[in-house]
Amino acid sequence: MCTNIVYEWLKSLQLPQYAESFVDNGYDDLEVCKQIGDPDLDAIGVAVPHHRRRIHEAVRRLKEADEAAAGLYFTLEPQP
């Protein structure tokens, strides 16, 4: 079984059974997972409506976390 960030993410959603299918279909990091839609879930083999809703909700949270972090930045320049 794969032990990557997508596996850990799916495990946190209590859906680790889909990890291999996610990776096999090219969803091997969370940046790619943020693009998941219904056709992707069909290709991955997520057919259970409750599982699909759980994944869609988690993708929404990933996108929201990105938006919240977009306002943050740092600099590598030395401070005076």
Side-chain angles (χ1 to χ4, degrees):
M1 178 54 61
C2 53
T3 55
N4 66 16
I5 189 71
V6 173
Y7 171 75
E8 294 300 326
W9 178 63
L10 289 167
K11 188 172 149 184
S12 75
L13 300 175
Q14 299 177 357
L15 299 171
Q17 67 269 32
Y18 298 112
E20 192 170 344
S21 293
F22 266 67
V23 173
D24 288 349
N25 283 280
Y27 296 94
D28 56 357
D29 69 40
L30 295 181
E31 286 302 314
V32 178
C33 289
K34 291 175 192 174
Q35 308 306 315
I36 289 176
D38 282 321
D40 305 300
L41 292 179
D42 291 339
I44 291 167
V46 182
V48 179
H50 180 68
H51 293 179
R52 292 171 77 96
R53 281 192 303 274
R54 202 179 305 168
I55 291 169
H56 280 305
E57 177 64 21
V59 167
R60 184 187 61 75
R61 287 193 307 267
L62 285 174
K63 289 178 180 177
E64 285 177 357
D66 260 7
E67 291 171 8
L72 302 176
Y73 69 93
F74 65 95
T75 179
L76 296 176
E77 296 175 7
Q79 296 298 313

